[in-house]
Amino acid sequence: NSINTSNKITLSHDGTNGTLDSTNATLFRGGGAERARLTSAGDFGIGNDSPNCKLAVKDTAEHTAYANETPSVGSCMLQLYNNPANETALDHATMQFGINGGTHNRVNTISAVAESASNRKLAFTFCTDSGSNRNERMRITGDGQLLVGHTSVIDHNTWDPAIEVAGLDANGSSIGLTRFGNNASAPTFLFGKSRNGAKGIHTVVADDDVLGNIAFIGSDGTDFAEAGWIRCRVDGAPGNNDMPGALLFGTSADGSQ
């Protein structure tokens, strides 16, 4: 029922449970080298011979450089992979975080959620514990849209914004920009436009190009309709450090949008 190796490790079982008992650290070796370690304090290290937390993963490999897309699994340090027998929408791989001091069981989760059974789209969702519920607060869709306060993209009068904030009250549906400093400067909301088709590359704009829009839309019972807008456009020939502009204000007449 047991194998003893000096006074270091005891392997035993009672017919039901197996026990690995060590007075010191327990090392796991493969290919002639240490691969993992369980310290006497209960900290577990993978590729780390001196873990100081419950799980420490260390990799010294020089992985393929990150190329602004998902690396191959061989270049990742950790994988959570759900492989169910049937492929259905809302299949998920979830990581849970919890704190319980004895009275309150606080739980948050981060999940990778399948958006459909018919395509590869995978969303990231974030759920937090408000004390009354553990609902989803934020989602990054498979297409890269950021949703705060809602779980699916809302059509905004033909626009599908990259960032959406939806709420049931002023706090839940507001965005705040605040600057702190002993000066006269304020926070800034920027609209920018270049005529180049590549991100980050400058090509001069032209007279009458629209540089930014603020649209005001309301639900007409079927979808959103535009009631008014504030628009900035180029008003003249632009040049280096020369950008003439005009602010335009528009409203919809009764019976139109």
Side-chain angles (χ1 to χ4, degrees):
N1 292 332
S2 65
I3 301 175
N4 294 315
T5 58
S6 185
N7 62 345
K8 294 182 179 180
I9 298 177
T10 300
L11 300 174
S12 62
H13 67 85
D14 59 8
T16 302
N17 299 314
T19 301
L20 173 63
D21 189 15
S22 173
T23 56
N24 299 304
T26 301
L27 277 60
F28 301 84
R29 299 176 63 86
E34 179 182 333
R35 305 301 180 184
R37 173 182 295 237
L38 177 65
T39 70
S40 58
D43 295 334
F44 192 72
I46 299 176
N48 188 331
D49 60 7
S50 57
N52 56 9
C53 59
K54 290 304 177 186
L55 177 62
V57 180
K58 180 180 179 180
D59 194 350
T60 59
E62 187 68 37
H63 294 301
T64 302
Y66 179 71
N68 302 315
E69 62 181 8
T70 301
S72 66
V73 67
S75 293
C76 299
M77 294 182 62
L78 180 66
Q79 181 188 59
L80 298 178
Y81 198 88
N82 182 13
N83 190 18
N86 299 306
E87 191 172 32
T88 58
L90 303 183
D91 284 341
H92 63 93
T94 295
M95 183 164 52
Q96 185 181 97
F97 304 84
I99 297 177
N100 189 334
T103 302
H104 302 290
N105 185 30
R106 308 166 184 87
V107 175
N108 288 355
T109 59
I110 299 175
S111 301
V113 181
E115 294 185 356
S116 170
S118 61
N119 59 47
R120 260 177 41 190
K121 291 186 178 182
L122 189 66
F124 253 133
T125 68
F126 301 81
C127 300
T128 62
D129 199 330
S130 69
S132 60
N133 64 66
R134 295 167 177 164
N135 293 343
E136 180 179 322
R137 315 298 178 187
M138 186 174 71
R139 173 181 294 235
I140 303 174
T141 70
D143 289 325
Q145 290 169 285
L146 176 63
L147 312 181
V148 179
H150 198 51
T151 60
S152 60
V153 176
I154 302 171
D155 178 58
H156 292 77
N157 192 27
T158 72
W159 288 294
D160 286 331
I163 300 175
E164 292 187 7
V165 178
L168 298 174
D169 56 22
N171 292 330
S173 56
S174 299
I175 299 174
L177 301 176
T178 306
R179 178 170 177 170
F180 295 88
N182 186 18
N183 52 52
S185 301
T188 301
F189 200 87
L190 295 174
F191 295 85
K193 165 71 177 175
S194 168
R195 273 189 167 252
N196 199 291
K199 297 175 184 178
I201 306 300
H202 286 284
T203 297
V204 64
V205 293
D207 186 25
D208 288 331
D209 280 0
V210 177
L211 304 183
N213 280 313
I214 300 176
F216 302 88
I217 58 177
S219 176
D220 60 12
T222 302
D223 53 17
F224 284 109
E226 189 174 53
W229 47 259
I230 302 173
R231 179 175 299 161
C232 181
R233 67 173 176 82
V234 181
D235 189 29
N240 188 36
N241 295 323
D242 178 18
M243 192 61 58
L247 279 178
L248 310 176
F249 297 81
T251 58
S252 298
D254 189 21
S256 66
Q257 63 171 325

